[in-house]
């Protein structure tokens, strides 16, 4: 059990200037330029990361290609790759608290959530895919007796993984676990505002025995590193979690280069639907509040739209506001904190602008809506509830990615389904009801990749995560994630 004194001992631990990882070597950018790493906790300088250049990125891609072509990793027996990945997971576990605190100082997630969702989740994910390595088989097709059809699963090649800032270790592991287990080589590009824990994670992979060049890390701006990766003729697959605008640019770059496959998770505007027959409305309110306000709303599946049956609307919103008011926002390195910092000042300004727009369009600021704790120098915002939100309001249609909840009433089940499906997104959603048949109908009718029933959040690595519509394509987590990282090859024998 982690106690506060252990966390406090790491709170101000000096962080040396960081490095790129290319072909097994730690190095600085070819230009020598660096980027400042600013903590969202207090606005202070933490360290620097190399400002990766096109040259750096191309070197990393070429290193990954050489590692793939000479089979130093994919040519290993699966059981040997498994041992290295399990050793890696063990090193992550041994450094779990350091990784969690490092990540919190970098991205602002509250430590209670970070311990579980960051190193905790990453460790479980790497172990899951390590254990799967020697259990993935090809197939024999059902053919006539004088022929035989074999279906081989082969590693795709070089994977570029572009990771966001909200949960870098968790989402990074969702990409790295299956990509590496399948035998591919990877170039990893962390977010400019949350690189530190991923750099350390990659260093531990080397320590575990991952061969040089198999995992490379290039930090820097998306318009340089990301553009180089997406236009490269030597990258076979891009996996990305982030904004729709960037996802579109990646697709365009793929078409303009080698038509590399792009798997995109582009966020959501997830509807959390509460029916009047919900068994425990107080519990539903508390869980719904956590489902949008934890990590300051910086969760891709956050239940950012609350659809409430009109007969209970006023009472439920009042209960929700009580739950929101009880959430302790503050120092992310305090174990009693329930919601930490907004990752960066640009995101904070965007959150506040959404609140202003919501009111200008006719919404009512029911709770919160303000920046708080300015005296810390950090970036904090109170949980915010906007009521009287119409279907076409900006806050009902656009992803805020902050602690802002849009509330809309509905009349009946048909109205709830129509509202739930009324955005361009389709990542997640939730349904609260005591009617089992209704729950099944809602699961079928909501056009999302994930539907939570009488809860919100919590699925682990055993189930797939992915969206429909403009929330993206492909799946992270579960054995289905391997589909992105294998090619199928048919061998046809005349007997």
């Amino acid at each position: 059990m982690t106690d506060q004194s252990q966390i406090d001992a790491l709170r101000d631990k000096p962080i040396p200037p960081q490095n790129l990882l290319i072909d097994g070597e730690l190095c600085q950018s070819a230009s020598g330029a660096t980027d400042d790493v600013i903590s969202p906790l207090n606005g202070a300088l933490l360290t620097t990361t190399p400002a990766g250049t096109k040259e750096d990125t191309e070197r990393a891609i070429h290193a990954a290609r050489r590692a793939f072509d000479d089979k130093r990793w994919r040519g290993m027996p699966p059981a040997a790759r498994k041992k290295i990945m399990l050793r890696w997971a063990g090193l992550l576990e041994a450094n779990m608290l350091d990784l969690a605190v490092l990540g919190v100082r970098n991205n602002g997630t509250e430590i209670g959530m970070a311990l579980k969702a960051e190193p905790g989740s990453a460790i479980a994910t790497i172990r899951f895919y390590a254990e799967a390595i020697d259990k993935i088989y090809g197939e024999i097709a059902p053919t006539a007796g004088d022929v035989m059809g074999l279906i081989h699963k082969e590693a795709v090649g070089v994977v570029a993984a572009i990771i966001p800032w909200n949960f870098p270790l968790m989402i990074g592991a969702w990409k790295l676990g299956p990509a590496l287990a399948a035998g591919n080589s990877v170039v990893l590009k962390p977010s400019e505002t949350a690189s530190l824990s991923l750099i350390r994670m990659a260093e531990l992979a080397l320590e575990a025995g991952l061969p040089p060049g198999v995992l490379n890390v290039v930090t820097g701006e998306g318009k340089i590193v990301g553009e180089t990766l997406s236009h490269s003729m030597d990258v076979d697959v891009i996996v990305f979690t982030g904004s729709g605008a960037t996802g579109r640019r990646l697709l365009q770059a793929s078409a303009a280069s080698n038509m590399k496959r792009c798997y995109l998770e582009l966020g959501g505007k997830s509807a959390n639907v509460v029916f009047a027959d919900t068994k425990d409305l107080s519990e539903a309110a508390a869980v719904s509040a956590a489902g949008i306000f934890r990590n300051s709303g910086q969760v891709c599946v956050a239940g950012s739209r609350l659809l409430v049956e009109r007969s209970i609307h006023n009472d439920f919103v009042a209960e929700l506001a009580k739950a929101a008011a009880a959430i302790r926002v503050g120092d992310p390195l305090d174990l009693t904190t329930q919601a930490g910092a907004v990752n960066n000042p640009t995101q904070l300004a965007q959150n506040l602008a959404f609140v202003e727009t919501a009111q200008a369009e006719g919404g009512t600021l029911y709770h919160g809506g303000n920046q708080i704790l300015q005296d810390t120098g950090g970036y904090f915002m109170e949980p915010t509830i906007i009521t009287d939100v119409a279907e076409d309001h900006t806050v009902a249609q656009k992803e805020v990615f902050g602690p802002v909840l849009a509330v809309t009433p509905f009349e009946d089940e048909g109205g709830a389904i129509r509202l739930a499906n009324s955005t361009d997104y389709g990542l997640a959603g939730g349904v609260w009801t005591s009617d089992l048949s209704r729950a099944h109908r809602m699961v079928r009718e909501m056009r999302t990749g994930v539907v939570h029933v009488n809860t919100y959040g919590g699925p682990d690595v055993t189930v797939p995560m992915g969206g429909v519509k403009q929330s993206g394509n492909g799946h992270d987590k579960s054995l289905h994630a391997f589909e992105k990282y294998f090619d199928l090859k048919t061998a046809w024998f005349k007997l």
Side-chain angles (χ1 to χ4, degrees):
M1 177 72 73
T2 302
D3 62 42
Q4 189 64 51
S5 64
Q6 294 173 295
I7 296 167
D8 290 339
L10 298 169
R11 179 184 292 273
D12 298 313
K13 181 179 179 181
I15 304 171
Q18 300 294 288
N19 295 289
L20 307 177
L21 174 59
I22 300 176
D23 207 11
E25 298 293 330
L26 299 174
C27 58
Q28 286 297 301
S29 166
S31 70
T34 60
D35 294 319
D36 289 344
V37 178
I38 304 299
S39 175
L41 282 65
N42 53 21
L45 178 68
L46 283 177
T47 185
T48 60
T49 54
T53 64
K54 181 177 181 180
E55 178 186 343
D56 297 321
T57 310
E58 288 177 342
R59 282 202 303 122
I61 294 168
H62 295 156
R65 175 57 62 190
R66 287 193 301 274
F68 183 78
D69 288 346
D70 69 19
K71 302 181 182 180
R72 68 186 71 168
W73 176 245
R74 68 183 171 109
M76 283 187 185
R81 296 205 306 272
K82 173 180 176 177
K83 286 181 180 178
I84 291 172
M85 289 190 68
L86 288 176
R87 195 179 304 133
W88 183 22
L91 289 172
L92 291 171
E93 187 168 42
N95 290 272
M96 184 172 177
L97 184 58
D98 279 29
L99 284 165
V101 173
L102 180 65
V104 169
R105 294 172 71 189
N106 196 185
N107 80 340
T109 299
E110 57 272 16
I111 187 68
M113 172 175 271
L115 283 164
K116 297 176 183 177
E118 281 287 86
S121 174
I123 293 160
T125 298
I126 298 301
R127 283 184 173 145
F128 179 88
Y129 290 108
E131 291 290 354
I133 289 176
D134 54 2
K135 302 171 184 67
I136 301 294
Y137 293 88
E139 303 167 37
I140 300 176
T143 61
D146 61 342
V147 294
M148 175 178 287
L150 302 181
I151 303 169
H152 295 269
K153 294 183 178 181
E154 297 186 340
V156 171
V158 175
V159 175
I162 303 177
I163 309 302
W165 45 256
N166 57 327
F167 291 110
L169 283 181
M170 178 178 75
I171 297 173
W174 289 354
K175 320 292 190 189
L176 293 176
L180 292 172
N184 298 286
S185 297
V186 178
V187 180
L188 179 68
K189 188 240 176 269
S191 166
E192 297 93 314
T193 61
S195 299
L196 302 184
S197 58
L198 279 172
I199 294 170
R200 182 63 181 138
M201 183 184 191
E203 291 172 349
L204 292 173
L206 272 184
E207 188 176 328
L210 197 70
V214 174
L215 175 58
N216 307 272
V217 182
V218 183
T219 56
E221 295 184 13
K223 65 183 180 182
I224 297 173
V225 179
E227 287 290 315
T228 304
L229 289 169
S230 61
H231 283 91
S232 173
M233 301 295 287
D234 261 330
V235 171
D236 301 291
V237 171
I238 282 190
V239 288
F240 169 75
T241 297
S243 72
T246 301
R248 285 180 173 83
R249 289 199 294 274
L250 294 175
L251 288 169
Q252 291 165 351
S254 169
S257 56
N258 61 345
M259 298 186 72
K260 59 180 64 65
R261 281 170 269 178
C262 291
Y263 297 105
L264 311 171
E265 196 264 90
L266 305 177
K269 193 68 192 176
S270 301
N272 187 25
V273 184
V274 182
F275 286 95
D277 66 355
T278 298
K279 183 177 180 181
D280 188 336
L281 290 173
S282 294
E283 179 190 11
V287 174
S288 296
I292 175 61
F293 299 132
R294 295 298 300 273
N295 197 29
S296 294
Q298 299 164 140
V299 181
C300 55
V301 298
S304 58
R305 285 187 299 148
L306 181 68
L307 308 182
V308 188
E309 193 164 358
R310 189 176 294 278
S311 63
I312 61 166
H313 175 275
N314 292 347
D315 290 342
F316 189 80
V317 173
E319 193 73 23
L320 184 79
K322 289 180 186 178
I327 292 173
R328 180 174 177 180
V329 182
D331 176 11
L333 288 173
D334 187 329
L335 281 168
T336 66
T337 293
Q338 296 170 301
V342 176
N343 177 261
N344 59 80
T346 300
Q347 182 65 48
L348 176 59
Q350 178 178 300
N351 296 347
L352 296 170
F354 266 102
V355 175
E356 292 182 4
T357 299
Q359 294 177 87
E361 292 179 346
T364 300
L365 181 58
Y366 190 95
H367 180 84
N370 300 303
Q371 181 181 359
I372 57 174
L373 304 174
Q374 290 97 320
D375 60 322
T376 66
Y379 319 128
F380 296 90
M381 182 176 175
E382 59 188 337
T384 300
I385 300 171
I386 310 288
T387 58
D388 302 313
V389 175
E391 177 183 341
D392 63 347
H393 284 185
T394 301
V395 76
Q397 293 294 320
K398 302 296 183 182
E399 184 176 41
V400 179
F401 215 63
V404 180
L405 177 63
V407 184
T408 304
F410 66 86
E411 303 296 338
D412 54 27
E413 185 177 316
I417 292 168
R418 185 186 63 76
L419 286 169
N421 293 332
S422 66
T423 76
D424 291 332
Y425 295 102
L427 186 60
V431 178
W432 294 84
T433 180
S434 59
D435 184 331
L436 181 61
S437 296
R438 169 181 281 161
H440 280 290
R441 289 194 299 270
M442 292 296 293
V443 168
R444 287 179 178 175
E445 295 297 330
M446 291 176 73
R447 294 193 61 205
T448 65
V450 179
V451 181
H452 308 92
V453 180
N454 293 330
T455 187
Y456 204 96
D460 64 20
V461 71
T462 59
V463 292
M465 167 72 182
V468 298
K469 299 196 285 185
Q470 292 185 35
S471 284
N473 58 54
H475 293 87
D476 287 323
K477 305 196 304 176
S478 82
L479 295 178
H480 292 285
F482 276 117
E483 295 163 13
K484 298 186 292 191
Y485 305 109
F486 278 126
D487 276 330
L488 298 181
K489 178 184 286 183
T490 295
W492 191 254
F493 290 85
K494 174 68 175 175
L495 301 179

